[in-house]
C-alpha cells in the first residue's frame, strides 16, 4: 500500500504548484481598476508625528486619567466660586465711604452733646433746701440741718400731687453733682444756705436727707453728704480748666424751674470773668462765661465738656432787665475752686 507523504520533499514542486494556483486565481479575477492599482502601487503609510506621545500615554494611562479628573474638579470649583461669590477685588476708599454712609443712614451716631449727657447723667442730683426764717444760714458742719429722712421725718404728709414748695416756705430748688466715691455732692451754697433741712434725689430715684460738710462762701460752693447712698453711685469725672478756651462746646445739666434733669448746650464764651450779685453783696471772680441755657434750678449743676467731664459749677445768670430768666449769659465756678471745699486738690 502506498504511503501518503505529509510534507513535500521538493521545493520546486510546491513552488510550481503555488505558481499555478496564483495564475489561475488571477485569471479568474476581474482586471483591477486604476484607483486600486494606484493604491496597490502607493508606499505604506508612515507613522504619525505623535506616535511616541501616544505610546507614552498608553503606558501612563492611569496617571493621566487621575490628573485630568483633578483638573476638571478644580475648574468646576473655580467656576462655582466665580458665579456664587463673585471674583475677589480690592476694597477701595470709595467702598469704605459708601459703607459708612449707608450705616449712618440706617442708624445715625449720637451727637457729642448726647454722649456727654449720658456720661454725666448718673452723677446728677436734685437738691431741695427746705426753708427757715430769712437771714439764718448754715455756717458749719456743727450747725448742719437735722439728719432726717424726708419720708420719715414725722412731718405731716402732703396731699398727693402737691409740690413741696406749697407745704413748706422758702424751698429752694437746685442741682448737685456727685464728685467722690464716698458720696460727696458739690452744689452752690446759695441753694442750701438758711435751709432747715435738705433732701436729695439721685439719678436712680433714691431719696435721702443730707447735711453740709464744707463750704466756700467766696466761691459760692457747698459740699453735701447724704444719709443714704444708691448702690450704684457713680461720681463724675473732673477736668482741669487749664486747657479750656472760648469756643469749646459745653453742656449745662440741672433742674431749671424744677424740670429735669434737663440738658442745654452751648459754648464757652469767655474766661476769668467777674460777677457781682444783684444786691451787690458778693463778688465772684475767675468765672467761666458760657451761653448754654441756664435758669433758676440749674444752680449747683455741672458745666460739662463734650467728653462728659466737669469743668465748672453753674452759679449765676445775668439779665439786664432784672428778670430771673436766661438772657444768653451764664457763669460757672471753675472746678479747681472745689479743691478747698472738699479738702483735697482734684488734680
Amino acid at each position: 500500500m502506498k504511503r501518503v507523504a505529509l510534507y513535500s520533499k521538493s521545493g520546486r514542486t510546491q513552488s510550481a504548484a503555488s505558481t499555478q494556483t496564483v495564475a489561475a486565481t488571477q485569471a479568474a479575477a476581474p482586471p483591477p481598476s486604476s484607483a486600486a492599482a494606484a493604491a496597490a502601487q502607493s508606499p505604506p503609510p508612515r507613522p504619525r508625528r505623535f506616535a511616541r506621545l501616544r505610546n507614552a500615554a498608553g503606558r501612563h494611562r492611569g496617571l493621566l486619567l487621575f490628573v485630568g479628573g483633578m483638573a476638571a474638579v478644580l475648574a468646576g470649583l473655580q467656576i462655582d466660586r466665580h458665579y456664587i461669590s463673585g471674583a475677589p477685588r480690592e476694597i477701595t476708599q470709595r467702598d469704605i465711604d459708601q459703607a459708612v454712609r449707608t450705616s449712618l443712614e440706617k442708624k445715625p451716631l449720637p451727637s457729642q452733646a448726647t454722649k456727654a449727657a449720658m456720661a454725666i447723667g448718673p452723677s446728677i442730683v436734685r437738691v431741695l433746701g427746705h426753708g427757715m426764717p430769712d437771714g439764718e444760714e448754715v455756717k458749719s458742719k456743727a450747725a448742719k440741718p437735722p439728719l432726717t429722712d424726708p419720708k420719715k421725718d414725722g412731718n405731716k404728709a402732703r396731699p398727693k400731687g402737691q409740690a413741696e414748695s406749697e407745704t413748706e416756705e422758702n424751698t429752694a430748688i437746685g442741682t448737685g453733682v456727685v464728685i467722690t466715691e464716698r458720696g460727696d455732692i458739690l452744689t452752690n451754697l446759695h441753694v442750701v444756705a438758711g435751709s432747715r433741712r435738705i433732701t436729695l434725689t439721685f439719678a436712680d430715684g433714691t431719696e435721702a436727707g443730707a447735711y453740709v460738710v464744707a463750704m466756700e462762701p467766696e466761691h459760692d460752693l457747698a459740699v453735701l453728704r447724704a444719709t443714704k447712698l444708691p448702690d450704684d453711685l457713680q461720681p463724675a469725672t473732673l477736668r482741669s480748666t487749664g486747657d479750656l478756651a472760648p469756643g469749646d462746646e459745653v453742656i449745662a445739666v440741672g433742674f431749671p424751674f424744677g424740670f429735669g434733669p434737663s440738658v442745654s448746650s452751648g459754648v464757652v464764651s469767655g474766661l476769668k470773668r467777674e460777677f457781682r450779685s444783684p444786691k451787690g453783696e458778693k463778688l465772684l471772680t475767675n468765672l467761666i462765661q458760657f451761653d448754654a441755657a441756664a435758669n433758676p434750678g440749674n444752680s449747683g449743676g455741672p458745666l460739662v465738656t463734650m467728653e462728659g467731664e466737669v469743668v465748672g459749677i453753674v452759679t449765676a445768670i445775668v439779665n439786664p432787665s432784672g428778670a430771673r430768666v436766661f438772657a444768653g449769659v451764664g457763669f460757672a465756678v471753675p472746678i479747681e475752686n472745689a479743691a478747698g471745699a472738699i479738702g483735697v486738690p482734684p488734680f
Side-chain angles (χ1 to χ4, degrees), residues 71-96:
V73 170
L74 292 176
L77 291 177
Q78 182 66 19
I79 293 173
D80 289 342
R81 187 172 69 87
H82 175 78
Y83 285 104
I84 294 175
S85 60
R89 65 182 182 86
E90 183 179 356
I91 297 177
T92 64
Q93 185 61 44
R94 182 176 181 180
D95 297 328
I96 297 174

Side-chain angles (χ1 to χ4, degrees), residues 28-105:
S33 63
S34 60
Q41 294 177 1
S42 64
R46 297 179 180 178
R48 294 186 179 179
R49 183 177 300 176
F50 302 105
R52 293 183 179 179
L53 292 178
R54 286 200 305 272
N55 293 336
R59 289 194 302 270
H60 303 287
R61 181 179 180 185
L63 178 61
L64 291 177
L65 289 176
F66 174 76
V67 173
M70 290 299 297
V73 170
L74 292 176
L77 291 177
Q78 182 66 19
I79 293 173
D80 289 342
R81 187 172 69 87
H82 175 78
Y83 285 104
I84 294 175
S85 60
R89 65 182 182 86
E90 183 179 356
I91 297 177
T92 64
Q93 185 61 44
R94 182 176 181 180
D95 297 328
I96 297 174
D97 294 341
Q98 180 61 39
V100 172
R101 189 180 304 110
T102 301
S103 178
L104 292 177
E105 289 174 354

Side-chain angles (χ1 to χ4, degrees), residues 273-278 282-285 287 316-318 331:
R273 300 292 198 240
E274 293 186 353
F275 170 77
R276 186 174 294 276
S277 63
K282 186 181 297 184
L283 177 67
L284 300 176
T285 61
L287 299 176
I317 58 175
V318 174
F331 294 111

Side-chain angles (χ1 to χ4, degrees), residues 33-345:
S33 63
S34 60
Q41 294 177 1
S42 64
R46 297 179 180 178
R48 294 186 179 179
R49 183 177 300 176
F50 302 105
R52 293 183 179 179
L53 292 178
R54 286 200 305 272
N55 293 336
R59 289 194 302 270
H60 303 287
R61 181 179 180 185
L63 178 61
L64 291 177
L65 289 176
F66 174 76
V67 173
M70 290 299 297
V73 170
L74 292 176
L77 291 177
Q78 182 66 19
I79 293 173
D80 289 342
R81 187 172 69 87
H82 175 78
Y83 285 104
I84 294 175
S85 60
R89 65 182 182 86
E90 183 179 356
I91 297 177
T92 64
Q93 185 61 44
R94 182 176 181 180
D95 297 328
I96 297 174
D97 294 341
Q98 180 61 39
V100 172
R101 189 180 304 110
T102 301
S103 178
L104 292 177
E105 289 174 354
K106 292 181 178 179
K107 187 177 181 180
L109 294 175
S111 68
Q112 288 292 103
T114 298
K115 291 188 286 188
M118 293 172 63
I120 194 64
S123 306
I124 300 299
V125 181
R126 182 173 182 253
V127 180
L128 293 179
H130 305 282
M132 109 182 315
D134 292 340
E136 296 188 35
E137 293 185 356
V138 178
K139 297 182 179 180
S140 67
K141 181 177 179 180
K144 62 184 177 292
L147 302 182
T148 57
D149 188 327
K151 295 181 178 179
K152 301 177 181 179
D153 59 3
N155 293 344
K156 186 182 297 183
R158 62 181 181 273
K160 185 177 181 180
Q162 188 176 19
E164 291 193 61
S165 59
E166 297 178 288
T167 63
E168 193 165 6
E169 295 179 357
N170 301 326
T171 298
I173 300 176
T175 307
V177 57
V178 180
I179 56 174
T180 66
E181 293 181 353
R182 66 174 177 261
D184 291 331
I185 299 161
L186 194 60
T187 189
N188 281 148
L189 179 59
H190 74 257
V191 173
V192 296
S195 299
R196 188 177 74 232
R197 66 188 181 90
I198 302 168
T199 58
L200 308 175
T201 304
F202 292 90
D204 68 346
T206 299
E207 295 183 359
Y211 56 91
V212 177
V213 295
M215 297 183 298
E216 272 197 350
E218 65 273 23
H219 296 125
D220 193 22
L221 294 173
V223 178
L224 308 179
R225 188 161 297 166
T227 59
K228 181 176 64 174
L229 296 175
D231 294 333
D232 59 346
L233 186 68
Q234 297 185 38
T237 301
L238 309 183
R239 171 181 165 179
S240 170
T241 60
D243 60 348
L244 201 63
D248 286 346
E249 293 180 289
V250 289
I251 61 171
V253 185
F255 293 85
F257 303 113
F259 297 101
S262 299
V263 179
S264 58
S265 63
V267 299
V268 173
S269 304
L271 301 170
K272 300 185 181 302
R273 300 292 198 240
E274 293 186 353
F275 170 77
R276 186 174 294 276
S277 63
K279 296 182 180 180
E281 301 171 352
K282 186 181 297 184
L283 177 67
L284 300 176
T285 61
N286 192 33
L287 299 176
I288 303 169
Q289 180 185 339
F290 62 91
D291 69 354
N295 285 289
N298 276 105
S299 293
L303 188 69
V304 184
T305 67
M306 292 297 100
E307 291 75 31
E309 300 168 333
V310 179
V311 291
I313 299 297
V314 176
T315 191
I317 58 175
V318 174
N319 190 327
S321 69
R324 297 180 66 241
V325 293
F326 186 68
V329 179
F331 294 111
V333 178
I335 199 63
E336 285 89 347
N337 296 125
I342 62 178
V344 291

